[in-house]
Amino acid sequence: MFADPSRGVDPGQPITEQEALARLRQQEDPGQRYYAAWWLGRMRSRHPDAVPLLIDALAVRGTAVDSAAGVNEPNAIARNAARALGKLADAAAVPALLTALEDPDDGLREAAARSLGELGAIEARRPISRRLATGPEWAGSVQPGSSRLQEPCEALLEALGMIGLAGEDDPDTLLALVRPYVDHGRPLIRAAACRCLFQLSGETHWVEQLRALLLHEQLQVRRAALMDLAATGWRPAGPAIAGTLAENSLKLIALRGLVEQSPEHDPQATWPSAAEIDLLNAMDALL
Amino acid sequence: MTVRPPSVIPTDQVEGLVAAVEAAQTADDLTDAVEALAAAAHPDAVPCLIEVLGFNNPGAAVAAVDGLVAIGEPAVAAILRNLDDYNYGARAWGVRALAGIGDLRGLETLERALAQDIGPSVRRAAARGMGQLDPVGLGTGERQALAGRVLPQLEAARADGEWIVRFAVAVGLEGMARWWRPDPSQRLLTALAALADSERETVPVVRLRAVLAQARLRGEAPWPSP
């Protein structure tokens, strides 16, 4: 989930990688740093300076970027740097992201957790579990005077699922820690928990609950269920995805997920399987 | 597209269906009412269906596009007149409707959308639409000329930064075989090669779609029913 920087800084002019690096390196204009951090992630920069500069930017605190233009999220530069580091697939970012995961700013913890999940950082499993361990009653409770939860549960749960069970010697405890979140009052948290439990256990009843959320009355929930199903790659959800009342763009992303994230997908294959042809035909109809 | 049977719904019944769309109070009611109107496939429904495209209700807009595509040729002039440059969502749906109808009068709109539109959803609809053109009445020479105009535009869009547009380009190139005469398979196989090649295309689902298109052009995989 990338914040759209286009309202903060003129997005009209395409910039080069060198320009983006220069904008991130300079210290005078926080808006330029914010935009440059986003750019490097969006473009999946592979420049050797990108990750070190983003790690530096991850330490910036408290800069209000441009509240007049609508960018006023706290720690905006650090949050965008955290998001970008998840896209660049470089394990060198993991220690800095683990530090960000302990930050008092829950929005920064959220961005860091998502990126640690994208990086599949096994080292993040314990600190993420610790944050979820107080359960829906505390970690999943609403902050006073805010709609935000004490912990960014959705991101934490999704990250746990993406990290998986590799090297885990006590999977039962981990699963027991996640399970109460399937009864959370917010459907988006329930969806994240189901997704996580399916990824960790392979038990299809979790992903069937996720599929049922495609019929939820709120569009926001249907959208989240689409993205969660995409991450699971669970192909039996294909017809339900194609028929969901939501934007075709999201349904297409979800169906792509079923093709590419399924354990049945062979990355070396040069020929689509019969199940994949069914998914491709469903995608054609949504273009 | 083949000639469609005329709508069997009498005009006064269409008026009732239009009134139901205008009276809908919730998003779900609106979608249901638009689906009923779209199913009538009656030319009198065109203005109402076009209006629905601007409502920012995806469910209703999908139904309205289906209805406009079912009405087909009689809807084209009105869609072109109403492509709203200021309502981004409505324009995207309008391009989708034109793409589905395949009328040649919509080609310039598709071309502009594919080359210039900032929205990937619009570019992807345009790319697909170029494969769905319905050049009724054109002879072989005219079809060759049309292909000579369309093919370079789809080839250029293979470099689009959005995976879904490149996916749609593969679909569009495959679709050109439906109307391009004489047999264009070799040209289209060549055009698809860049999208099927893991050295040049990084997204697996795009490569798989291009491979499927190549297989269909070679007669090695069945075509979906149109």
XYZ file of all heavy atoms in Angstrom, chain A residues 42 246-253 283-287, chain B residues 53 56 58 61-62 65 83 87-100 109-110 112-130 132 160-169:
508
model
N 8.782 2.386 -6.365
C 7.859 2.148 -7.472
C 8.597 1.608 -8.689
O 8.103 0.739 -9.401
C 7.154 3.463 -7.822
C 6.252 3.420 -9.037
C 4.980 2.648 -8.731
N 4.064 2.603 -9.872
C 4.201 1.732 -10.880
N 5.191 0.875 -10.889
N 3.328 1.737 -11.876
N -16.731 -5.438 -7.631
C -15.605 -4.557 -7.317
C -14.969 -4.164 -8.647
O -15.371 -4.652 -9.703
C -14.584 -5.271 -6.423
N -13.979 -3.285 -8.565
C -13.336 -2.809 -9.785
C -12.637 -3.969 -10.504
O -11.975 -4.795 -9.877
C -12.286 -1.742 -9.465
C -12.833 -0.477 -8.849
C -12.935 -0.574 -7.328
O -12.982 -1.706 -6.787
O -12.979 0.487 -6.696
N -12.739 -3.965 -11.827
C -12.058 -5.002 -12.593
C -10.554 -4.981 -12.352
O -9.907 -6.024 -12.380
C -12.329 -4.813 -14.089
C -13.730 -5.244 -14.485
O -14.555 -5.549 -13.623
N -13.993 -5.280 -15.760
N -9.983 -3.797 -12.132
C -8.532 -3.721 -11.922
C -8.105 -4.609 -10.756
O -7.096 -5.307 -10.836
C -8.115 -2.278 -11.628
O -8.495 -1.443 -12.681
N -8.890 -4.574 -9.685
C -8.536 -5.381 -8.520
C -8.784 -6.863 -8.773
O -8.019 -7.719 -8.326
C -9.332 -4.917 -7.296
C -8.997 -3.515 -6.792
C -9.785 -3.211 -5.535
C -7.509 -3.386 -6.532
N -9.845 -7.163 -9.502
C -10.114 -8.570 -9.818
C -9.008 -9.138 -10.693
O -8.611 -10.295 -10.549
C -11.482 -8.701 -10.493
C -12.630 -8.287 -9.576
C -13.957 -8.802 -10.071
C -14.694 -7.792 -10.903
N -16.017 -8.298 -11.323
N -8.488 -8.310 -11.588
C -7.389 -8.761 -12.447
C -6.128 -9.027 -11.625
O -5.421 -10.017 -11.856
C -7.115 -7.723 -13.535
C -8.177 -7.669 -14.644
C -8.103 -6.360 -15.417
C -8.008 -8.847 -15.599
N -5.847 -8.153 -10.670
C -4.684 -8.374 -9.798
C -4.879 -9.671 -9.016
O -3.949 -10.472 -8.849
C -4.491 -7.175 -8.853
C -4.063 -5.944 -9.649
C -3.445 -7.496 -7.780
C -4.068 -4.655 -8.835
N -9.574 -13.544 -17.022
C -8.943 -12.221 -17.044
C -9.294 -11.482 -18.338
O -9.575 -10.280 -18.313
C -7.424 -12.357 -16.897
C -7.003 -12.824 -15.501
S -5.222 -13.120 -15.363
C -4.593 -11.426 -15.343
N -9.287 -12.188 -19.458
C -9.651 -11.550 -20.732
C -10.987 -10.812 -20.617
O -11.145 -9.704 -21.116
C -9.795 -12.607 -21.835
C -8.460 -13.102 -22.364
O -7.423 -12.773 -21.771
O -8.472 -13.827 -23.384
N -11.929 -11.484 -19.969
C -13.283 -10.927 -19.914
C -13.365 -9.677 -19.046
O -14.363 -8.960 -19.092
C -14.253 -11.988 -19.380
N -12.336 -9.411 -18.256
C -12.365 -8.260 -17.341
C -11.576 -7.071 -17.877
O -11.551 -6.011 -17.255
C -11.789 -8.668 -15.982
C -12.576 -9.720 -15.206
C -11.766 -10.231 -14.021
C -13.904 -9.150 -14.735
N -10.903 -7.217 -19.002
C -10.004 -6.159 -19.480
C -10.773 -4.893 -19.863
O -11.864 -4.953 -20.322
C -9.197 -6.656 -20.679
C -8.169 -7.735 -20.345
C -7.553 -8.273 -21.633
C -7.067 -7.188 -19.445
N -22.606 5.444 -16.509
C -21.143 5.297 -16.545
C -20.453 6.334 -15.665
O -19.331 6.126 -15.221
C -20.619 5.428 -17.981
C -21.178 4.442 -19.002
C -20.544 4.680 -20.373
C -20.967 3.000 -18.562
N -19.837 6.507 -10.712
C -18.851 5.968 -9.771
C -19.413 4.798 -8.964
O -19.274 4.710 -7.755
C -18.343 7.065 -8.822
C -17.111 6.592 -8.046
O -16.388 5.723 -8.510
N -16.908 7.166 -6.867
N -19.101 0.843 -9.581
C -18.528 -0.150 -10.501
C -19.525 -1.227 -10.938
O -19.556 -1.598 -12.112
C -17.388 -0.772 -9.690
C -17.090 0.177 -8.594
C -18.346 0.947 -8.320
N -21.812 0.239 -13.446
C -21.106 0.582 -14.682
C -20.809 -0.667 -15.516
O -20.935 -0.643 -16.749
C -19.813 1.334 -14.356
N -20.427 -1.761 -14.844
C -20.193 -3.003 -15.587
C -21.465 -3.410 -16.326
O -21.438 -3.768 -17.508
C -19.732 -4.126 -14.624
C -19.804 -5.487 -15.307
C -18.321 -3.865 -14.140
N -22.092 -1.090 -19.302
C -21.222 -1.413 -20.441
C -21.751 -2.655 -21.157
O -21.843 -2.679 -22.394
C -19.767 -1.622 -19.982
C -18.934 -2.245 -21.091
C -19.156 -0.298 -19.550
N -18.148 11.028 -24.474
C -16.885 10.710 -23.797
C -16.451 11.949 -23.030
O -16.066 12.950 -23.596
C -15.817 10.300 -24.812
C -15.886 8.861 -25.291
C -14.839 8.637 -26.369
C -15.709 7.866 -24.178
N -14.692 13.611 -16.546
C -15.016 12.522 -15.630
C -14.198 11.309 -16.037
O -14.525 10.564 -16.960
C -16.503 12.207 -15.678
C -16.886 11.122 -14.684
O -16.059 10.300 -14.290
N -18.129 11.127 -14.274
N -13.115 11.110 -15.301
C -12.153 10.087 -15.682
C -12.778 8.696 -15.722
O -12.594 7.929 -16.666
C -10.982 10.115 -14.695
C -10.039 9.024 -14.990
C -9.232 9.114 -16.106
C -10.025 7.881 -14.219
C -8.404 8.074 -16.433
C -9.202 6.844 -14.540
C -8.398 6.945 -15.645
O -7.604 5.908 -15.976
N -13.548 8.377 -14.676
C -14.145 7.044 -14.612
C -15.109 6.793 -15.760
O -15.095 5.731 -16.375
N -15.922 7.793 -16.076
C -16.892 7.630 -17.153
C -16.189 7.413 -18.485
O -16.636 6.615 -19.318
C -17.794 8.864 -17.217
N -15.084 8.111 -18.691
C -14.359 7.953 -19.957
C -13.817 6.526 -20.077
O -13.880 5.902 -21.133
C -13.217 8.967 -20.029
C -12.580 9.022 -21.399
C -11.620 10.190 -21.546
N -10.346 9.932 -20.901
C -9.896 10.570 -19.829
N -10.622 11.523 -19.289
N -8.739 10.264 -19.299
N -13.305 6.008 -18.946
C -12.777 4.643 -18.975
C -13.869 3.646 -19.354
O -13.656 2.755 -20.182
C -12.196 4.296 -17.607
N -15.034 3.822 -18.757
C -16.126 2.895 -19.084
C -16.575 3.074 -20.530
O -16.940 2.103 -21.205
C -17.298 3.106 -18.128
C -17.007 2.687 -16.716
C -16.907 3.500 -15.626
C -16.757 1.357 -16.232
N -16.610 2.758 -14.503
C -16.519 1.444 -14.843
C -16.712 0.107 -16.846
C -16.244 0.320 -14.057
C -16.438 -1.006 -16.058
C -16.210 -0.892 -14.681
N -16.580 4.312 -21.017
C -16.960 4.550 -22.408
C -16.017 3.866 -23.379
O -16.448 3.263 -24.377
N -14.718 3.931 -23.082
C -13.742 3.235 -23.928
C -13.989 1.733 -23.881
O -13.912 1.038 -24.896
C -12.301 3.591 -23.493
C -11.291 2.690 -24.197
C -12.004 5.053 -23.798
N -14.317 1.238 -22.695
C -14.614 -0.195 -22.583
C -15.812 -0.576 -23.454
O -15.804 -1.626 -24.107
C -14.912 -0.569 -21.135
C -13.673 -0.669 -20.268
C -14.053 -0.931 -18.814
N -14.892 -2.115 -18.672
C -14.418 -3.349 -18.639
N -13.136 -3.569 -18.749
N -15.233 -4.377 -18.514
N -16.835 0.265 -23.453
C -18.014 -0.036 -24.270
C -17.645 -0.022 -25.753
O -18.016 -0.933 -26.508
C -19.126 0.972 -23.968
N -16.893 0.996 -26.175
C -16.478 1.055 -27.575
C -15.632 -0.164 -27.936
O -15.775 -0.743 -29.019
C -15.671 2.324 -27.840
C -16.456 3.643 -27.841
C -15.488 4.809 -27.963
C -17.481 3.671 -28.968
N -14.752 -0.551 -27.041
C -13.901 -1.710 -27.293
C -14.752 -2.965 -27.472
O -14.477 -3.798 -28.334
C -12.906 -1.901 -26.150
N -15.795 -3.084 -26.662
C -16.640 -4.273 -26.741
C -17.486 -4.310 -27.996
O -17.773 -5.377 -28.533
N -10.704 6.807 -31.033
C -10.761 6.927 -29.569
C -9.892 5.859 -28.908
O -9.157 6.140 -27.956
C -12.221 6.785 -29.094
O -12.991 7.825 -29.695
C -12.316 6.889 -27.589
N -9.966 4.636 -29.423
C -9.138 3.563 -28.862
C -7.657 3.878 -29.042
O -6.844 3.660 -28.136
C -9.471 2.224 -29.521
C -10.896 1.689 -29.360
C -11.034 0.317 -30.030
C -11.287 1.588 -27.891
N -6.152 6.813 -29.361
C -5.726 7.882 -28.468
C -5.613 7.358 -27.032
O -4.681 7.667 -26.306
C -6.720 9.048 -28.534
C -6.079 10.403 -28.347
C -7.082 11.553 -28.539
N -7.957 11.365 -29.688
C -9.286 11.293 -29.620
N -9.904 11.378 -28.459
N -10.008 11.151 -30.717
N -6.580 6.534 -26.649
C -6.576 5.998 -25.287
C -5.351 5.112 -25.059
O -4.666 5.233 -24.034
C -7.853 5.192 -25.045
N -5.054 4.251 -26.007
C -3.925 3.331 -25.816
C -2.612 4.104 -25.719
O -1.745 3.776 -24.910
C -3.860 2.325 -26.966
C -2.702 1.319 -26.899
C -2.805 0.444 -25.659
C -2.683 0.437 -28.150
N -2.465 5.135 -26.544
C -1.177 5.836 -26.598
C -1.016 6.855 -25.483
O 0.096 7.116 -25.034
C -1.031 6.527 -27.953
N -2.129 7.443 -25.016
C -1.982 8.646 -24.203
C -2.669 8.608 -22.861
O -2.340 9.414 -21.998
C -2.550 9.865 -24.960
C -1.846 10.152 -26.255
C -2.542 11.263 -27.024
O -3.427 11.930 -26.502
N -2.152 11.445 -28.262
N -3.647 7.742 -22.660
C -4.438 7.872 -21.431
C -3.582 7.567 -20.205
O -2.775 6.635 -20.214
C -5.646 6.944 -21.474
C -6.726 7.417 -20.516
O -6.566 7.234 -19.284
O -7.710 7.993 -20.996
N -3.764 8.363 -19.160
C -2.964 8.133 -17.953
C -3.451 6.910 -17.175
O -2.742 6.407 -16.317
C -2.976 9.360 -17.005
C -4.403 9.710 -16.610
C -2.276 10.541 -17.637
C -4.477 10.639 -15.420
N -4.646 6.435 -17.466
C -5.203 5.332 -16.680
C -4.917 3.980 -17.315
O -5.339 3.725 -18.443
N -4.238 3.087 -16.586
C -4.007 1.741 -17.139
C -5.300 1.023 -17.503
O -5.327 0.242 -18.461
C -3.280 1.012 -16.010
C -2.704 2.073 -15.156
C -3.608 3.256 -15.269
N -6.388 1.291 -16.750
C -7.639 0.584 -17.055
C -8.180 0.997 -18.419
O -8.826 0.209 -19.107
C -8.673 0.847 -15.971
O -9.014 2.214 -15.929
N -7.898 2.242 -18.809
C -8.345 2.705 -20.119
C -7.441 2.135 -21.212
O -7.916 1.672 -22.254
C -8.356 4.249 -20.162
C -8.867 4.735 -21.502
C -9.221 4.803 -19.039
N -6.138 2.166 -20.961
C -5.221 1.643 -21.982
C -5.452 0.155 -22.211
O -5.398 -0.328 -23.336
C -3.761 1.899 -21.564
C -3.437 3.379 -21.372
C -1.948 3.683 -21.467
N -1.113 2.995 -20.517
C -0.928 3.367 -19.240
N -1.534 4.455 -18.772
N -0.138 2.687 -18.439
N -5.737 -0.581 -21.130
C -5.924 -2.022 -21.319
C -7.203 -2.298 -22.108
O -7.232 -3.191 -22.955
C -5.916 -2.755 -19.972
C -7.177 -2.602 -19.182
C -7.252 -3.499 -17.949
N -8.602 -3.442 -17.455
C -8.971 -3.008 -16.235
N -8.069 -2.648 -15.359
N -10.239 -2.967 -15.901
N -8.259 -1.525 -21.828
C -9.504 -1.727 -22.579
C -9.283 -1.413 -24.052
O -9.794 -2.108 -24.938
C -10.607 -0.842 -21.996
N -8.500 -0.360 -24.332
C -8.251 0.018 -25.719
C -7.451 -1.060 -26.443
O -7.743 -1.400 -27.598
C -7.514 1.354 -25.756
N -6.452 -1.615 -25.767
C -5.618 -2.649 -26.402
C -6.467 -3.867 -26.745
O -6.385 -4.424 -27.847
C -4.472 -3.045 -25.471
N -7.298 -4.260 -25.805
C -8.165 -5.395 -26.080
C -9.123 -5.073 -27.228
O -9.381 -5.904 -28.097
C -8.951 -5.754 -24.829
C -9.907 -6.907 -25.035
C -10.808 -7.065 -23.826
N -11.632 -8.257 -23.959
C -12.914 -8.299 -23.570
N -13.475 -7.224 -23.064
N -13.601 -9.402 -23.691
N -9.640 -3.827 -27.225
C -10.613 -3.429 -28.237
C -10.058 -3.501 -29.648
O -10.796 -3.787 -30.596
N -8.773 -3.237 -29.803
C -8.204 -3.291 -31.150
C -8.248 -4.704 -31.724
O -8.278 -4.885 -32.937
C -6.775 -2.759 -31.133
C -6.761 -1.255 -30.922
S -5.100 -0.602 -31.026
C -5.455 1.150 -30.769
N -10.781 -6.598 -31.052
C -12.206 -6.917 -31.185
C -12.881 -6.100 -32.272
O -14.107 -6.081 -32.344
C -12.918 -6.649 -29.845
C -12.438 -7.563 -28.735
C -13.285 -7.439 -27.481
O -13.568 -8.418 -26.829
N -13.681 -6.226 -27.126
N 4.601 -0.753 -22.590
C 3.876 -0.069 -21.519
C 4.419 -0.510 -20.157
O 4.750 -1.679 -19.950
C 2.384 -0.400 -21.624
C 1.514 0.580 -20.848
O 1.524 0.533 -19.583
O 0.830 1.381 -21.492
N 4.492 0.420 -19.213
C 5.042 0.107 -17.894
C 4.119 -0.730 -17.022
O 4.553 -1.272 -16.010
N 2.849 -0.819 -17.381
C 1.888 -1.564 -16.566
C 1.692 -2.968 -17.130
O 1.354 -3.134 -18.304
C 0.548 -0.829 -16.528
C 0.599 0.501 -15.806
C 0.787 0.344 -14.299
O 0.484 -0.744 -13.759
O 1.248 1.318 -13.679
N 1.832 -3.959 -16.255
C 1.718 -5.338 -16.723
C 0.354 -5.618 -17.355
O 0.263 -6.363 -18.335
C 1.973 -6.316 -15.569
C 0.879 -6.333 -14.535
C 0.762 -5.512 -13.466
C -0.271 -7.194 -14.512
N -0.379 -5.812 -12.770
C -1.030 -6.837 -13.380
C -0.721 -8.226 -15.329
C -2.231 -7.484 -13.058
C -1.917 -8.860 -14.991
C -2.656 -8.492 -13.876
N -0.712 -5.014 -16.802
C -2.029 -5.374 -17.302
C -2.242 -4.841 -18.718
O -2.987 -5.429 -19.515
C -3.141 -4.890 -16.327
C -4.488 -5.509 -16.684
C -3.242 -3.375 -16.295
C -4.518 -7.027 -16.665
N -1.571 -3.740 -19.052
C -1.680 -3.238 -20.425
C -0.952 -4.188 -21.381
O -1.457 -4.510 -22.465
C -1.132 -1.802 -20.525
C -1.224 -1.300 -21.960
C -1.895 -0.872 -19.592
N 0.215 -4.669 -20.954
C 0.942 -5.617 -21.816
C 0.148 -6.924 -21.963
O 0.115 -7.527 -23.030
C 2.340 -5.884 -21.245
C 3.173 -4.611 -21.093
C 4.651 -4.892 -20.903
N 4.981 -5.678 -19.735
C 5.106 -5.202 -18.494
N 4.919 -3.910 -18.264
N 5.412 -5.995 -17.490
N -0.511 -7.334 -20.879
C -1.398 -8.505 -20.952
C -2.482 -8.265 -22.009
O -2.756 -9.117 -22.865
C -2.028 -8.727 -19.573
C -2.895 -9.957 -19.444
C -2.403 -11.114 -18.852
C -4.209 -9.950 -19.886
C -3.211 -12.244 -18.712
C -5.016 -11.073 -19.757
C -4.520 -12.225 -19.164
N -3.090 -7.086 -21.954
C -4.166 -6.761 -22.897
C -3.634 -6.653 -24.323
O -4.365 -6.948 -25.282
C -4.857 -5.461 -22.478
N -2.384 -6.232 -24.485
C -1.793 -6.184 -25.825
C -1.711 -7.602 -26.403
O -2.013 -7.830 -27.583
C -0.402 -5.517 -25.786
C 0.360 -5.760 -27.089
C -0.544 -4.014 -25.530
